[in-house]
Amino acid sequence: MFPVPLSLLSLYITFLTFQLVQADCECGYTVNSALYTDIIETDFLHLANITNDTDWQPQNYTVTPELARGPFGKNASISNVVANPLKSQYDWAGDGVNGGDAGLQLFVRGGVPQDGLIPMAELATARTDMLYGSFRAGMKVTGTPGTCGAFFWYLNDTQEIDMEFLSSEFNATSQPVNLVLQSPESEEAGFNAANTGTFQVHQLNFTPSEGFHEYRFDWSPNAVDFYADGVLLDTMTSAVPTAPGHITLSHWSNGDPNWSAGPPTEDAILTVEYLKGYFNSSDAARQQDWSTRCISPSAVNATCPVPEVTQAPNGNVSAHTSFFSMQANETGNQTVFGSKKKSEGIALEISRTGVLALVLMLSSVVGILLW
């Protein structure tokens, strides 16, 4: 037996350490040319209890008619946010356990409320540090007239990115989505963004109340791009938000004949299959976590492209969209709900390749030392 050179041992140790911490997507996720460091993904098709998902906070609040800017106020309740997962965890299509469309159901209750407050549903992300990103929701909106279904990013009433569906506008020849950037100018106009240039009504080539579709907006420092099933609808470059906020899913009515109309004559349901967000964080701790894990930005698989959805997410094949959080080594150091281990500063997930390399290298070291 002869002494092992320190340089050789150092090389082995360096290699082993690299294998231990290496994971796919450790530098983030890419959309077009943009790199996003953080992730949020929720599969509502298989989520049995929304209160178990730490990414989301169902809302409880009331708003008076005056503050709601309508003849009726609003009453958001957790009871109107209803999980309706698929009957089998192995399926990606079919009825939910409660019947009807599977996914997370957001109810607006029908009828004229005696207390003047229309029962509605809303949930928001627990994280409020989302500063620029690409956000996607697989949704089927209601066809019952008299509600507003909304998927949006929010900081306050003057920094807001909205995709809104007014069910009273749907008919045989009109299937619009309202694209809105709220701004100080819209506040001055009584929150009527139509008078500010940051409001567009885009006619869709499908009926949003007849099936699930992916709605998306990509927010950069200079623009917001809106999409439906991967098709670019519009780009807005003025009144772009500049501060961090959170994502909200909401289904509501206040009786305003110029917007939500309503209340609906019967219960109206908006159903969400999934929500995905790839974004940069304004939180200093999360930024430090990214710096810690992103050792080699140019390494293979250090960044992962976000797959594009180019067809409506209906049925077993198309509804089974890609989730990084369902892979063993693609969300290291992320605070993703559902992962068996969550880290706060060190990647805890080791790929099977890394484990195999570790075993082989340890065997080699032992062999050399014993030789």
Side-chain angles (χ1 to χ4, degrees), residues 41-205:
E41 292 181 332
T42 306
D43 166 25
F44 292 118
L45 286 174
H46 301 96
L47 184 64
N49 189 340
I50 184 60
T51 61
N52 291 337
D53 191 330
T54 55
D55 285 333
W56 293 96
Q57 297 177 333
Q59 302 296 297
N60 269 319
Y61 64 80
T62 59
V63 180
T64 65
E66 180 181 9
L67 292 177
R69 299 190 290 273
F72 295 94
K74 299 187 289 186
N75 179 14
S77 171
I78 292 177
S79 63
N80 293 326
V81 180
V82 180
N84 188 32
L86 289 163
K87 297 176 181 179
S88 170
Q89 63 177 322
Y90 303 106
D91 289 341
W92 285 91
D95 291 341
V97 294
N98 302 323
D101 293 318
L104 190 70
Q105 298 177 320
L106 305 183
F107 279 83
V108 175
R109 302 298 177 177
V112 177
Q114 293 184 351
D115 62 359
L117 304 176
I118 299 175
M120 55 159 286
E122 183 171 294
L123 70 161
T125 56
R127 293 185 64 167
T128 60
D129 60 328
M130 299 175 177
L131 181 61
Y132 310 122
S134 180
F135 303 95
R136 301 117 188 268
M139 304 192 309
K140 178 181 177 181
V141 304
T142 186
T144 302
T147 77
C148 176
F151 163 48
F152 60 103
W153 173 94
Y154 183 83
L155 170 63
N156 55 41
D157 289 344
T158 62
Q159 293 205 62
E160 184 176 345
I161 303 169
D162 289 323
M163 299 187 77
E164 300 192 63
F165 301 85
L166 307 179
S167 56
S168 62
E169 292 184 336
F170 299 157
N171 56 53
T173 59
S174 179
Q175 307 293 337
V177 56
N178 297 274
L179 312 176
V180 188
L181 296 186
Q182 296 289 4
S183 65
E185 290 75 18
S186 64
E187 181 181 34
E188 293 174 1
F191 294 99
N192 185 359
N195 297 325
T196 68
T198 58
F199 175 86
Q200 294 291 331
V201 178
H202 192 96
Q203 291 292 334
L204 300 168
N205 61 0

Side-chain angles (χ1 to χ4, degrees), residues 27-51:
C27 289
Y29 311 89
T30 57
V31 178
N32 298 323
S33 59
L35 172 65
Y36 300 116
T37 61
D38 284 58
I39 183 174
I40 179 173
E41 292 181 332
T42 306
D43 166 25
F44 292 118
L45 286 174
H46 301 96
L47 184 64
N49 189 340
I50 184 60
T51 61

